[in-house]
């Protein structure tokens, strides 16, 4: 759909353990309230200290939000040099790997959460339309490889809405094959 506005899509919670309590509830004030427990049922997020691996990190937006929810980032993976400098400034003690294709689970250690928005260029309606077969968006399979190696409790995935037409079935199928249940939504 040439000229269509690309709205991001996210897999809200891909976890082998389902949680039905307080899912992003709103207390009526118009302000989102913090969850009173973590999404994998192991007690409060605040101070719970779930370890996060942030892939395709950009300048750390996912990690910033997850840390404000009481989690801690234990590693980044970002190839862009400018973004890596920003991450190093704000998270000087967190290792930042530069290539998802060479990153191995043993390089990172134990993680409870893997988050990230893999490249959208081949998925976007403004792009070539190769979907997950494209060189950039196909990095989803490296993301999935790390999920398989590390077995986190929660996987957060973000991409453009065109993923619904250009690869969501493969993303969901891969997560299912790895033992995860998924929920998704389009956010505008």
């Amino acid at each position: 759909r040439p000229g269509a506005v690309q709205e991001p899509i996210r897999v809200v919670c891909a976890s082998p353990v389902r949680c039905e309590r307080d899912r992003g509830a709103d207390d009526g004030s118009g302000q989102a309230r913090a969850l009173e427990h973590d999404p994998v049922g192991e007690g409060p997020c605040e101070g719970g200290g779930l370890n996060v691996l942030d892939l395709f990190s950009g300048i750390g937006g996912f990690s910033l939000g997850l840390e404000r929810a009481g989690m801690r980032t234990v590693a980044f993976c970002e190839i862009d040099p400018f973004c890596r400098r920003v991450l190093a400034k704000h998270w000087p003690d967190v290792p930042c790997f530069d290539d998802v294709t060479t990153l191995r689970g043993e390089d990172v250690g134990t993680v409870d959460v893997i988050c990230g928005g893999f490249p959208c260029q081949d998925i976007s309606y403004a792009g070539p339309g190769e979907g997950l077969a494209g060189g950039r968006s196909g990095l989803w399979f490296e993301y999935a490889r790390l999920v398989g190696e590390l077995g986190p409790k929660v996987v957060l995935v973000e991409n453009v809405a065109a993923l619904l037409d250009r690869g969501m079935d493969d993303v969901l199928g891969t997560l299912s094959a790895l033992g995860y249940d998924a929920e998704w939504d389009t956010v505008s």
Side-chain angles (χ1 to χ4, degrees):
R1 296 180 279 209
V5 174
Q6 296 293 304
E7 295 180 16
I9 185 167
R10 64 184 174 142
V11 175
V12 178
C13 177
S15 171
V17 181
R18 299 281 313 257
C19 176
E20 298 301 325
R21 302 178 298 160
D22 295 332
R23 237 180 235 245
D26 184 313
D27 64 3
S29 68
Q31 299 285 324
R33 67 181 167 85
L35 298 178
E36 295 175 9
H37 64 283
D38 74 60
V40 294
E42 291 186 354
C45 282
E46 204 160 323
L50 296 176
N51 290 333
V52 176
L53 168 59
D54 189 337
L55 301 176
F56 310 102
S57 307
I59 59 170
F62 258 133
S63 284
L64 181 62
L66 294 174
E67 287 183 357
R68 287 182 179 178
M71 300 179 204
R72 75 177 149 268
T73 302
V74 297
F76 293 104
C77 187
E78 174 55 53
I79 199 166
D80 182 88
F82 173 79
C83 293
R84 291 173 53 80
R85 287 192 303 274
V86 172
L87 294 170
K89 178 180 179 180
H90 295 289
W91 287 273
D93 299 324
V94 177
C96 185
F97 299 92
D98 66 351
D99 188 348
V100 72
T101 65
T102 60
L103 179 61
R104 299 290 171 252
E106 67 249 16
D107 298 332
V108 178
T110 303
V111 297
D112 304 295
V113 178
I114 296 180
C115 67
F118 64 95
C120 69
Q121 290 91 335
D122 303 310
I123 295 168
S124 171
Y125 293 124
E130 297 174 272
L132 297 178
R136 291 179 174 180
S137 298
L139 290 172
W140 156 251
F141 297 105
E142 295 295 333
Y143 190 135
R145 176 186 54 78
L146 288 164
V147 170
E149 287 181 22
L150 292 165
K153 297 169 184 165
V154 177
V155 178
L156 298 171
V157 180
E158 181 276 332
N159 215 288
V160 295
L163 180 63
L164 292 169
D165 298 326
R166 294 183 172 174
M168 187 65 150
D169 53 343
D170 289 326
V171 169
L172 294 175
T174 302
L175 288 170
S176 178
L178 292 169
Y180 292 84
D181 181 28
E183 296 181 21
W184 63 93
D185 197 0
T186 301
V187 180
S188 57

